[in-house]
Amino acid sequence: MSETVLLVGGGGREHAIARALADSDTDLYACAGNRNPGIARLADGFETLETTNTTAVVAYAEEVGATLAVVGPEGPLAAGVADALDEAGIYAFGPHADEARIETDKAFQRRFMQEHDIPGCPDFETFDDMEAACEFIDEYDGDLAVKPAGLTGGKGVKVTGDQVTDEEAKAYLRDSDYDRVVLEERLVGEEFTVQALVANDQLRVTPAIQDHKRAYEGDEGPNTGGMGSYSDASLELPFMTEDDYHEAVEVLKETVAALDDYRGVLYGQFMLTADGVNVIEFNARFGDPEAMNTLPVLTTDFLDVLVAAREGDDLPKLSFAPEATVCKYAVPDGYPSDPEAGAKVKISEENAGEAILFYASVDERDDGIYTTTSRSFAVVGRGESIADAEKIAEDALSIAGEEGLHMRHDIGTEELVQRRIDHVQALRN
């Protein structure tokens, strides 16, 4: 039976989801606050609306006769879009707002881990009094990650001993308008992500990926929404062992078991430390850019996962092409602190070479596509090795050019990957 799927969201992650559904037996519709040209070309219809407006999303879903929905970003999940779609009789692959708190409320997230004995939880304290938080910084013996409890688009965390001094962290808290913050021990190691598709108390895991949050090469500069990422042709990354990967998967399994009827994507961001795998955070949706590494190599029909989830059936086993991927984002000059919009995007899906182009936040005009103040587009290379995939991505960026754009050219390079390997070996020794 043909399905009518509504995709909620208009970023690079959602372009990857749309591409994964485009060849399935489905009529695809999308809605987002921005008109993503890549999604619009794949969809049978595209409506521009505020995706946190549950009434507007449900109205459009009913108008197109949606039988399934996929909620991409965290904002609509926090607003209860999945709840509202379910109430309207449209199965939404995405957690209800209460379950999405595993991402949207970091204080809840840590207390949940503590209450259910989920492994990998660092030492932490939560505060709604910023002066009390500042006193904790003064008294704590070690470095801390300072995290707003709510959503910050990946840009709100400050780490003492790395990004800021103790005094700068306290000034950050005092100058902020945060209601609650989480202060937790700084984890030292190598970050990686494992994402799981979850429904009917089952989960199906995907290959590990390493994202790069820092704006500049060499992991310098402010945090961003993510400048790019890479995966290997195996489930684990070159600096990991199979045991490291399975340790992370076990954390996801225990988390799903403790959650009440969770469905959608559960994204675990982990730190591989000298003492094993620790949890940096959970997200309640595909990562962006990690979706662009995962979905292009997924050989299982993503629609089959959605239908099985809705029907209460066993989720299909996931299969992946034995290929490495490298994703590199192009962002406007000055991003994230002072982005300059309006540069014309020269690369297109037709001239990207062997790479896959995913549009994110762009402005399509009569005479072409232009950057906005958010991440603009990503290119993804696939190959037998990370080095092969990285070359394909770099070739695509050379087509895009540098005018008005900023990229991290070091993501996925042999030098960067080797530094990760050496770092973990040094930690373990």
Side-chain angles (χ1 to χ4, degrees), residues 128-382:
D128 55 17
D129 180 334
M130 296 306 112
E131 284 305 318
C134 290
E135 290 177 12
F136 185 83
I137 291 173
D138 286 333
E139 296 167 0
Y140 188 78
D141 183 18
D143 293 325
L144 290 163
V146 179
K147 297 183 175 183
L151 295 173
T152 60
K155 304 169 195 172
V157 177
K158 305 292 183 184
V159 182
T160 66
D162 178 21
Q163 298 168 301
V164 294
T165 64
D166 286 359
E167 292 305 313
E168 288 169 335
K170 290 187 290 184
Y172 170 63
L173 289 174
R174 288 174 175 138
D175 293 342
S176 74
D177 56 359
Y178 299 133
D179 295 327
R180 291 173 303 138
V181 294
V182 180
L183 302 186
E184 58 190 44
E185 66 172 305
R186 176 192 176 191
L187 299 173
V188 177
E190 285 296 332
E191 294 186 28
F192 68 95
T193 296
V194 178
Q195 301 166 107
L197 306 183
V198 183
N200 311 327
D201 297 321
Q202 298 177 322
L203 76 164
R204 300 289 184 258
V205 292
T206 66
I209 298 165
Q210 186 171 62
D211 183 21
H212 299 70
K213 288 288 189 189
R214 295 296 193 91
Y216 309 131
E217 296 189 6
D219 297 315
E220 299 290 336
N223 277 350
T224 70
M227 291 297 296
S229 45
Y230 67 90
S231 66
D232 209 345
S234 59
L235 289 173
E236 62 275 359
L237 291 164
F239 57 81
M240 299 168 60
T241 65
E242 289 185 12
D243 286 345
D244 297 329
Y245 178 83
H246 291 302
E247 188 176 345
V249 171
E250 189 59 34
V251 171
L252 292 173
K253 287 180 177 178
E254 293 195 31
T255 305
V256 169
L259 288 164
D260 183 21
D261 196 29
Y262 187 94
R263 45 94 171 305
V265 178
L266 183 64
Y267 162 127
Q269 185 179 7
F270 301 99
M271 183 75 83
L272 180 57
T273 73
D275 300 319
V277 172
N278 286 264
V279 177
I280 298 172
E281 66 178 6
F282 293 112
N283 289 336
R285 35 72 190 182
F286 275 121
D288 186 339
E290 291 95 335
M292 292 177 277
N293 300 93
T294 302
L295 291 170
V297 294
L298 176 66
T299 55
T300 305
D301 191 335
F302 186 49
L303 181 63
D304 288 347
V305 177
L306 302 181
V307 172
R310 182 191 63 197
E311 298 301 315
D313 296 336
D314 287 345
L315 298 183
K317 302 291 186 182
L318 301 185
S319 297
F320 297 90
E323 294 179 308
T325 68
V326 173
C327 174
K328 301 194 184 193
Y329 249 115
V331 303
D333 274 343
Y335 176 86
S337 306
D338 189 22
E340 301 173 14
K344 191 168 185 178
V345 176
K346 298 175 182 177
I347 193 171
S348 68
E349 292 173 273
E350 290 72 35
N351 71 5
E354 295 181 65
I356 307 168
L357 174 67
F358 293 106
Y359 288 108
S361 182
V362 291
D363 178 19
E364 187 170 24
R365 307 175 191 171
D366 290 341
D367 65 337
I369 294 173
Y370 292 81
T371 61
T372 67
T373 57
S374 294
R375 292 178 296 173
S376 305
F377 61 87
V379 294
V380 174
R382 297 167 49 176

